[in-house]
């Protein structure tokens, strides 16, 4: 194994409130080992184009902290608390490894051009596909450079880890918003139903977090609709009508990926474009559809509220547990590369929920790429219209503590854009 002197780190896929905490962990650990730290601007696509930045210089890691000038440590602290992907992102699908492919030939050129000894890639399912392909190509081409995946996704649908960085913060946001809307919906003495749409194409983890509203305001959502369970709209309408016999305000948290028994979405998916991985680019409209349906069929006041990208950038609701674990995984990625591991992803293994305890393990990234972790049946109610206590036990430790912001003139501060 050759000595690692230069590492390259990239971010890819949808951003989160915690993805920069992983980047901070990578940078802090690499810097402590006296490594040269380079960053891809806009992920693997930017790397192919040669858009590389020296992160030690960009973050002023050698600059002293003072009253007037933020030193590198202050910048790392700000980076940890800054939402979105500081390095920029992409959705670029690598072809299958082939030494004669122009794409892989360019990758080889870039490796030599920048003297790269190891690559760390922070992302979700599709990013682990990139990590797997890079590691397989390097192995076949005889390139001695470890490739390590660091997980992130608010969808929490990645195999090989108990949960993913970004999910805890997004879950905390969904829980808080659901509780706030629950109180708002109960103000007037009229029948009304609110549909809150959370992200999640295939897995309902984030939608399930809405059930934690019961811990905040004492009233849990009446229904939690997950993509793991096909939706019968007639049964849902009957359930809502029945609930109106008990209360005025009905609250429904619904996943964007909820579908009919035949697999078709509630909205017209055929009119929506797909990205290079075949995913719908703008999968939304479920809450608005159900709100219109309830208004037309039940004759009640109804609202459809789409949380959309707020879920992934709401750093004001960030979970300290989430950011701590995200940073620890960044550190673990550097350590794994220094130990000569390659073609692996660092992941979280839960040892206990009460008290909450975890450890970090590596798993072959080939076992993770292009797979989706669905919510298990034990976390879904028998009727499919809500979640169980098992889901709440799983979720609670991930959202339990708030991340305190760094303030400037009373407002939270972010790191300036790169």
């Amino acid at each position: 194994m050759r000595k690692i002197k230069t590492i390259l780190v990239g971010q890819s896929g949808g951003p989160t409130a915690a993805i920069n905490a992983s980047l901070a962990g990578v940078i802090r650990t690499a810097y402590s080992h006296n490594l040269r730290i380079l960053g891809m601007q806009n992920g693997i696509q930017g790397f192919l184009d040669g858009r590389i930045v020296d992160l030690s210089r960009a973050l002023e890691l050698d600059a002293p902290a003072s009253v007037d000038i933020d030193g590198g440590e202050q910048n790392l602290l700000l980076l940890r608390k800054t939402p979105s992907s500081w390095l920029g992102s992409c959705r670029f699908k690598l072809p299958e490894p082939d030494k004669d492919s122009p794409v892989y030939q360019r990758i080889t050129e870039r490796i030599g051009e920048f003297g790269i000894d190891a690559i760390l890639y922070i992302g979700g399912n599709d990013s682990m596909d990139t990590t797997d392909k890079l590691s397989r190509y390097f192995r076949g081409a005889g390139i001695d450079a470890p490739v390590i995946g660091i997980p992130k996704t608010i969808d929490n649908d990645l195999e090989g880890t108990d949960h993913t960085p970004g999910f805890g913060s997004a879950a905390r946001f969904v829980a808080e918003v659901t509780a706030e809307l629950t109180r708002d919906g109960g103000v007037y003495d009229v029948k009304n139903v609110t549909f809150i749409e959370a992200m999640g194409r295939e897995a309902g983890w984030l939608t399930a977090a809405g059930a934690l509203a019961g811990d905040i305001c004492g009233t849990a959502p009446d229904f939690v609709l997950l993509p793991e369970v096909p939706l019968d709209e007639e049964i849902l309408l009957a359930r809502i009508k029945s609930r109106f016999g008990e209360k005025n305000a009905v609250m429904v948290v619904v996943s964007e990926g909820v579908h009919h028994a035949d697999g078709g979405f509630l909205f017209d998916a055929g009119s929506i474009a797909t990205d290079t991985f075949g995913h719908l680019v703008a999968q939304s409209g479920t809450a608005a559809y159900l709100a219109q349906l309830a208004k037309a069929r039940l004759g009640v006041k109804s609202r459809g509220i789409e949380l959309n990208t707020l879920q992934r950038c709401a750093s004001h609701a960030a979970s300290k547990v989430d950011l701590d674990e995200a940073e620890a995984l960044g550190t673990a990625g550097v350590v794994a590369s220094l130990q000569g591991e390659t073609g692996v992803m660092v992941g979280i293994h839960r040892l206990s929920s009460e008290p909450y305890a975890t450890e970090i393990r590596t798993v072959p990234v080939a076992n993770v790429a292009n797979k989706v972790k669905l919510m298990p049946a034990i976390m879904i109610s028998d009727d499919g219209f809500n979640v169980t206590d098992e889901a709440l036990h799983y979720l609670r430790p991930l959202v339990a503590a708030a991340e305190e912001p760094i303030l400037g003139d009373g407002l939270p501060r972010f790191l300036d854009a790169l």
Side-chain angles (χ1 to χ4, degrees):
M1 182 181 68
R2 62 176 169 144
K3 181 176 176 58
I4 292 176
K5 297 180 180 179
T6 300
I7 67 166
L8 175 70
V9 59
Q11 299 171 312
S12 186
T16 78
I19 190 170
N20 287 329
S22 289
L23 179 61
V26 169
I27 296 169
R28 186 190 303 278
T29 307
Y31 186 74
S32 72
H33 285 83
N34 298 313
L35 303 180
R36 180 172 172 242
I37 315 155
L38 303 180
M40 308 178 190
Q41 291 189 277
N42 298 108
I44 190 68
Q45 191 167 26
F47 174 57
L48 288 167
D49 295 338
R51 287 184 279 119
I52 304 296
V53 60
D54 185 314
L55 294 177
S56 296
R57 185 177 300 117
L59 290 166
E60 302 177 316
L61 295 187
D62 295 320
S66 70
V67 174
D68 301 318
I69 300 174
D70 287 336
E73 177 58 29
Q74 179 74 352
N75 285 333
L76 284 174
L77 290 175
L78 284 170
L79 178 61
R80 168 188 162 104
K81 299 170 187 286
T82 297
S84 188
S85 304
W86 192 65
L87 291 174
S89 187
C90 72
R91 294 191 184 276
F92 182 86
K93 184 174 179 131
L94 283 177
E96 279 298 309
D98 180 355
K99 63 182 178 62
D100 296 322
S101 163
V103 170
Y104 286 99
Q105 288 176 355
R106 203 180 325 163
I107 288 173
T108 301
E109 292 170 3
R110 297 297 185 212
I111 291 291
E113 178 183 353
F114 293 100
I116 294 163
D117 300 312
I119 295 178
L120 279 66
Y121 209 50
I122 309 170
N125 305 67
D126 300 333
S127 301
M128 293 309 113
D129 174 76
T130 298
T131 303
D132 177 48
K133 286 173 177 173
L134 282 175
S135 64
R136 285 193 282 128
Y137 172 67
F138 287 178
R139 192 179 304 118
I143 298 174
D144 184 18
V147 185
I148 309 293
I150 300 172
K152 72 87 207 165
T153 173
I154 67 169
D155 293 331
N156 197 39
D157 59 355
L158 201 59
E159 291 283 2
T161 183
D162 177 78
H163 53 279
T164 51
F167 171 67
S169 295
R172 186 180 173 91
F173 172 76
V174 170
E176 290 180 359
V177 168
T178 301
E180 291 161 351
L181 288 169
T182 296
R183 286 299 174 88
D184 185 271
V187 169
Y188 299 109
D189 188 23
V190 295
K191 303 294 184 186
N192 68 92
V193 56
T194 301
F195 297 91
I196 304 172
E197 181 178 328
M199 284 182 169
R201 285 189 300 258
E202 299 173 81
W205 297 101
L206 194 54
T207 304
L212 292 172
D215 291 358
I216 300 173
C217 69
T219 304
D222 296 277
F223 306 104
V224 177
L225 308 180
L226 310 169
E228 285 85 352
V229 182
L231 178 65
D232 186 318
E233 295 162 46
E234 296 301 322
I235 295 178
L236 175 62
L237 290 172
R239 292 286 187 101
I240 293 173
K241 183 177 181 180
S242 175
R243 197 58 58 92
F244 279 136
E246 307 166 10
K247 58 194 298 193
N248 282 333
V250 174
M251 190 66 54
V252 184
V253 187
V254 56
S255 168
E256 65 180 355
V258 165
H259 54 82
H260 297 123
D262 63 3
F265 294 109
L266 306 190
F267 56 89
D268 180 16
S271 64
I272 300 175
T274 59
D275 62 19
T276 57
F277 289 90
H279 306 314
L280 295 177
V281 172
Q283 184 174 331
S284 60
T286 302
Y289 168 81
L290 289 175
Q292 288 298 318
L293 184 67
K295 181 179 181 180
R297 296 284 298 277
L298 301 178
V300 297
K301 181 179 179 180
S302 64
R303 286 193 180 93
I305 298 173
E306 183 185 331
L307 301 182
N308 210 296
T309 53
L310 286 169
Q311 295 157 94
R312 70 189 196 192
C313 65
S315 62
H316 64 276
S319 158
K320 184 177 186 303
V321 171
D322 189 24
L323 269 61
D324 283 347
E325 291 179 335
E327 189 163 345
L329 285 166
T331 292
V334 175
V335 172
S337 68
L338 292 174
Q339 292 176 341
E341 294 196 65
T342 188
V344 299
M345 182 189 81
V346 290
I348 300 168
H349 178 75
R350 188 180 302 214
L351 302 174
S352 170
S353 291
E354 297 179 12
Y356 180 61
T358 65
E359 65 180 18
I360 294 176
R361 300 177 180 177
T362 59
V363 296
V365 74
N367 296 347
V368 175
N370 302 308
K371 296 181 181 178
V372 176
K373 181 179 72 177
L374 303 178
M375 286 188 64
I378 195 173
M379 294 188 184
I380 304 173
S381 64
D382 290 340
D383 65 5
F385 281 86
N386 220 309
V387 298
T388 64
D389 286 342
E390 189 75 21
L392 299 178
H393 291 321
Y394 170 86
L395 291 165
R396 283 182 178 124
L398 310 183
V399 303
E403 173 80 2
E404 294 297 326
I406 294 175
L407 300 177
D409 296 326
L411 291 173
R413 286 189 57 198
F414 297 158
L415 185 64
D416 290 345
L418 185 62

